[in-house]
Amino acid sequence: MLTTLYISLAITAVFAGVPNPEDTKRMMDHLSDAEHYRNEHHNKQFDHDAFLGEDQAKTFDQLPPEESKRRLGMIVDEIDSDKDGYVTPVELKDWIRYTQKRYIEEDVERHWKQHNPENTDVVTWEAYRKNVYGFMDEMSPNELKANTEGFTYSNLLKRDRRRWHYADADQDDALNRTEFASFLHPEDHTGMRDVVVLETLEDIDKDKDGKVSLEEYIGDMYKPEEGESVDDEPDWVKQEREQFTGYRDLNKDGFMDEHEVKDWIAPPEFDHAEAEAKHLVFEADSDADEKLTKEEILDKYDLFVGSQATDFGEALARHDEF
Ligand SMILES: *[C@@H]1O[C@H](CO)[C@@H](O)[C@H](O)[C@H]1NC(C)=O
């Protein structure tokens, strides 16, 4: 998330005013979509997004701790659907599914209206391209090549174009609302798995040799301090190194190829909502009875909803304004 934030601020500075903030935000989200599949347990923002939905998570980030806790208490009452005073992993999983679905539906509705103001059955590629990338038609070749943090609008356009093809089930180069939902939220559609794998690989593969090295894999989740050696790394980073060598790199050639990235981020039977629910219960379950009371959840409110007590929260609040 921090990287995404940094990139979007940098972009706004370079291309002040174009394209519009909503589109810029969505394009930046492109870069982080795949993060839903990785780094889950090292990224607090991921927990907050899963628990609250991305839109609500941003609201909570700006609340003072007391207000954040008060609202969390009300949410806990809602999650406890059988009202027995305990939040079970199943109730939590259902809640996470519900918030995710709600967020995606609202997001698709908003973008669909924006790109299809006449409310026709489909949006053509040309209409979409003009709407989002039309500003590039006015740019000189040098401006088009301007490179911020290793990406350009031309790259984003190419990526959108490819993703559009994957989402376009009947291949008429126009998307109806269902197809548009896959385009916007490929992480939510099994048919889009291959393109999510490609985008993930490209995000991590900094030297663009088409495969992920151990250093690229670690670099994607951890930035060492100045002068820090491998020996000083936190334990979870050391464990990730072992994961890479022992499990991710199946054919032991020192790299993850497309096939291995797919096994990593999108194993067919993996249930993200269930995994996240188990993770949250594990982290907050002080008496280890495998279910959570309201007190246990409020004690760990930072895990579930966060607060503005950090610079990061304030940065996000500012980020939302432009
Ligand atoms: C969109 O098109 C697909 C086929 O490409 C079809 O299965 C789907 O039902 C359509 N959705 C709508 C809302 O028309």
Side-chain angles (χ1 to χ4, degrees):
M1 289 302 278
L2 266 175
T3 322
T4 311
L5 177 67
Y6 179 69
I7 292 175
S8 46
L9 291 176
I11 291 250
T12 320
V14 175
F15 302 97
V18 264
N20 76 46
E22 173 79 358
D23 283 325
T24 306
K25 185 187 168 308
R26 192 194 59 77
M27 286 189 279
M28 295 311 107
D29 283 352
H30 263 208
L31 296 177
S32 65
D33 269 342
E35 283 180 21
H36 287 274
Y37 290 102
R38 52 191 215 259
N39 303 356
E40 298 184 6
H41 300 293
H42 317 304
N43 185 344
K44 268 196 170 171
Q45 195 61 42
F46 181 92
D47 290 331
H48 301 166
D49 287 352
F51 183 73
L52 294 164
E54 275 178 54
D55 42 353
Q56 286 294 312
K58 287 193 185 112
T59 308
F60 266 80
D61 276 329
Q62 299 165 48
L63 297 174
E66 285 316 309
E67 178 59 14
S68 192
K69 278 188 198 169
R70 193 185 68 81
R71 295 199 195 179
L72 176 59
M74 288 160 56
I75 292 176
V76 171
D77 293 337
E78 238 183 287
I79 302 176
D80 178 17
S81 51
D82 64 3
K83 309 291 171 210
D84 69 347
Y86 294 101
V87 167
T88 64
V90 171
E91 285 169 335
L92 197 50
K93 178 192 73 185
D94 290 345
W95 169 262
I96 288 168
R97 284 228 176 95
Y98 160 78
T99 55
Q100 192 190 0
K101 222 172 148 228
R102 182 189 60 191
Y103 168 70
I104 288 178
E105 271 166 16
E106 286 170 4
D107 197 50
V108 170
E109 183 58 23
R110 198 172 64 242
H111 283 95
W112 181 246
K113 275 197 185 136
Q114 185 201 334
H115 290 290
N116 185 12
E118 311 280 324
N119 195 25
T120 51
D121 287 345
V122 296
V123 172
T124 64
W125 166 255
E126 194 41 34
Y128 174 82
R129 189 200 66 82
K130 265 217 167 84
N131 197 354
V132 176
Y133 297 99
F135 68 92
M136 288 169 62
D137 297 345
E138 316 288 309
M139 288 167 86
S140 70
N142 270 347
E143 283 175 312
L144 283 174
K145 268 188 242 141
N147 193 310
T148 311
E149 289 293 301
F151 97 104
T152 63
Y153 279 117
S154 309
N155 286 340
L156 289 175
L157 171 64
K158 265 192 218 145
R159 204 180 246 225
D160 256 7
R161 185 61 175 139
R162 182 177 61 191
R163 205 198 267 194
W164 187 277
H165 278 306
Y166 274 87
D168 185 10
D170 58 3
Q171 297 293 308
D172 61 353
D173 215 19
L175 303 186
N176 67 20
R177 200 180 181 289
T178 321
E179 293 166 338
F180 189 73
S182 324
F183 172 75
L184 212 54
H185 285 283
E187 77 281 5
D188 198 43
H189 297 266
T190 43
M192 299 292 283
R193 200 171 274 163
D194 287 346
V195 75
V196 171
V197 168
L198 283 176
E199 289 178 14
T200 304
L201 201 155
E202 290 164 359
D203 280 348
I204 306 176
D205 175 23
K206 297 290 182 237
D207 67 3
K208 304 294 166 210
D209 65 351
K211 50 198 185 174
V212 174
S213 68
L214 174 60
E215 290 318 313
E216 287 167 339
Y217 175 80
I218 295 296
D220 178 58
M221 45 183 100
Y222 180 68
K223 300 270 174 288
E225 304 281 326
E226 279 272 305
E228 182 182 313
S229 81
V230 173
D231 292 336
D232 304 328
E233 283 174 354
D235 284 345
W236 71 261
V237 177
K238 294 189 177 116
Q239 281 157 20
E240 285 293 348
R241 286 183 184 279
E242 284 161 22
Q243 280 281 325
F244 183 96
T245 314
Y247 300 99
R248 310 266 186 250
D249 175 17
L250 296 167
N251 65 2
K252 310 295 173 208
D253 67 349
F255 297 95
M256 272 162 84
D257 58 23
E258 207 177 305
H259 177 75
E260 289 160 339
V261 170
K262 186 169 182 168
D263 273 359
W264 168 38
I265 64 168
E269 301 301 323
F270 192 70
D271 182 336
H272 284 273
E274 186 179 313
E276 180 61 17
K278 282 187 179 152
H279 162 65
L280 290 172
V281 170
F282 176 80
E283 294 293 330
D285 189 12
S286 316
D287 64 0
D289 63 353
E290 292 176 17
K291 50 193 180 183
L292 302 179
T293 61
K294 190 188 273 191
E295 286 66 39
E296 283 173 326
I297 292 175
L298 292 184
D299 276 353
K300 287 276 169 71
Y301 85 101
D302 197 40
L303 171 70
F304 292 88
V305 299
S307 81
Q308 68 161 21
T310 60
D311 288 349
F312 181 38
E314 278 165 29
L316 265 183
R318 279 199 301 278
H319 170 62
D320 272 348
E321 282 161 22
F322 71 76

